[in-house]
Amino acid sequence: MLRTPPGPTVLGIDVIWVGSMLAAVAAIAVMFAIYSAVTIRDPMAKRVKALNDRREQLKAGIVNSSSKRRQSLVRKNQTTEKVRETLASFKVLQESQVAVIQKKLAQAGIRKKEWAVVVIAARLVLPVVLGLIAATVVYWTNSFPEWGPLKRLGLFAAALGFGYKGPEIYIKNIIGKRTNAIRKGLPDALDLLVICAEAGLTVDAAFGRVARELGRAYPELGDEFTLTSIELSFLTERRMAFENLAWRVDLDAVKGVVTTMIQTERYGTPLASALRVLSAEFRNERMMRAEEKAARLPAIMTVPLILFILPVLFIVIIGPAGCHLVDAFSNMK
């Protein structure tokens, strides 16, 4: 029986197999991109639905006066309640841990706080599942017989670590993207708030107006401002709405805006002048950040220039002369 010769390997890994897997992933990504381009949906539909649910909750009186009682806003769900009971029976569910994950979910734009229990359960289940899969592939089925014990142990440890840190890394990436989007639109939002304040609009009406104007360009910021406007209309203390905004957005600039709004509410200082100063400061900060990225560009381009651009340039320049030299020496012989 003829056996096909093994393909080229790098560090014990079949290069052809890795290339096939990467090609399959690229094909799936292209199909997903085409599907996303064909089925374009309104990005504000889900946000408006979530904000309407929040409005109904506030109308029903599901409002708390302290940050420690925010967990009562969690809507009861049978699945999440079963997961909570199971985790509590194993003594692995801590309220402080649930509160931290709920804050991260809020910063990621996920309004369903009961998903915090699901995240904790995923951090417990995924290491076991991925560890079993890695152990089956590496040890039991012996899919990589040329691997040594150190490589097998490394793959098994990587599967365990990815299973434990995977949900947290995913949520952290969502928070980072959302925070960057809010940071980009904050100076424009403050300018519109200044215009609305000088026009005589109230604070909640100004937040609602800014949310409608910037909802298309910056949907994340429009989402937060709309929710703040709703809470300003229904909460018993306006300070709670501003504190909730700072609690949902992991950004120092938003915390500065919240502090300014609370001080103007308490002491009666002019809102427009304070927001104008903050807007100018944020614009200068954004310009400094862009200048910093531009200044780092030469250092970042050094490695690609040496590895990819200069060799090709040398081949283009020296290649014809080298060919002529080879032809000349061959004719001499």
Side-chain angles (χ1 to χ4, degrees):
M1 183 177 180
L2 296 177
R3 295 183 59 185
T4 58
T9 59
V10 176
L11 298 177
I13 302 175
D14 191 355
V15 177
I16 297 178
W17 180 79
V18 173
S20 301
M21 294 299 296
L22 292 177
V25 172
I28 294 174
V30 170
M31 294 176 62
F32 179 75
I34 295 174
Y35 173 77
S36 301
V38 172
T39 58
I40 299 177
R41 300 176 182 177
D42 188 3
M44 294 297 294
K46 292 184 179 180
R47 302 179 186 275
V48 172
K49 183 178 182 300
L51 293 174
N52 289 332
D53 294 339
R54 174 66 175 174
R55 185 191 295 272
E56 294 299 327
Q57 286 181 353
L58 293 173
K59 284 184 179 180
I62 310 177
V63 179
N64 298 296
S65 60
S66 64
S67 60
K68 294 182 180 179
R69 299 178 59 191
R70 283 194 179 98
Q71 295 177 1
S72 62
L73 292 175
V74 177
R75 291 174 292 179
K76 300 299 181 181
N77 185 280
Q78 294 182 356
T79 305
T80 55
E81 286 300 318
K82 290 180 180 179
V83 174
R84 180 186 291 271
E85 293 175 359
T86 304
L87 295 177
S89 62
F90 286 105
K91 305 297 182 182
V92 294
L93 187 63
Q94 300 178 359
E95 294 300 327
S96 60
Q97 187 180 12
V98 174
V100 171
I101 296 179
Q102 284 180 352
K103 183 177 181 180
K104 290 183 178 180
L105 290 177
Q107 292 172 355
I110 301 175
R111 305 301 178 194
K112 296 182 179 180
K113 295 183 179 180
E114 64 269 20
W115 283 15
V117 181
V118 178
V119 174
I120 296 175
R123 292 175 62 180
L124 293 176
V125 174
L126 283 179
V128 178
V129 175
L130 295 181
L132 289 176
I133 294 175
T136 302
V137 172
V138 175
Y139 293 104
W140 295 338
T141 61
N142 198 15
S143 300
F144 303 100
E146 67 278 4
W147 281 18
L150 187 60
K151 288 184 180 180
R152 298 185 180 186
L153 181 61
L155 180 60
F156 181 72
L160 293 179
F162 180 77
Y164 182 75
K165 287 293 185 179
E168 184 177 354
I169 294 173
Y170 177 72
I171 295 175
K172 187 175 181 180
N173 289 335
I174 297 177
I175 293 174
K177 293 179 181 179
R178 183 178 177 84
T179 302
N180 291 331
I182 293 176
R183 183 188 291 111
K184 291 179 181 178
L186 190 58
D188 298 335
L190 290 182
D191 288 340
L192 286 178
L193 279 178
V194 170
I195 295 173
C196 294
E198 291 178 346
L201 294 179
T202 59
V203 177
D204 51 348
F207 270 86
R209 181 68 179 180
V210 172
R212 288 194 299 271
E213 294 293 335
L214 296 180
R216 292 290 182 181
Y218 307 102
E220 294 83 3
L221 186 61
D223 182 13
E224 297 296 338
F225 271 39
T226 303
L227 185 55
T228 303
S229 175
I230 294 172
E231 291 182 344
L232 285 171
S233 302
F234 288 99
L235 290 178
T236 55
E237 296 183 6
R238 302 168 69 87
R239 177 174 180 173
M240 292 172 55
F242 297 128
E243 290 178 350
N244 290 336
L245 176 61
W247 184 75
R248 292 192 304 267
V249 180
D250 185 21
L251 193 60
D252 293 335
V254 174
K255 292 180 175 63
V257 174
V258 167
T259 303
T260 302
M261 299 297 292
I262 293 175
Q263 289 178 352
T264 54
E265 288 282 338
R266 177 181 297 179
Y267 302 110
T269 56
L271 178 61
S273 59
L275 292 178
R276 188 179 290 108
V277 172
L278 284 176
S279 176
E281 181 180 352
F282 294 156
R283 288 188 182 279
N284 292 333
E285 182 182 355
R286 186 168 64 179
M287 183 61 66
M288 291 175 61
R289 193 179 298 111
E291 292 176 353
E292 180 184 357
K293 290 183 179 180
R296 290 187 307 181
L297 187 60
I300 295 174
M301 288 295 296
T302 301
V303 176
L305 180 66
I306 295 174
L307 294 180
F308 302 107
I309 300 177
L310 289 181
V312 176
L313 185 62
F314 289 154
I315 292 173
V316 172
I317 295 175
I318 304 176
C323 293
H324 285 299
L325 288 175
V326 171
D327 294 336
F329 281 113
S330 62
N331 292 330
M332 290 175 60
K333 293 179 179 179

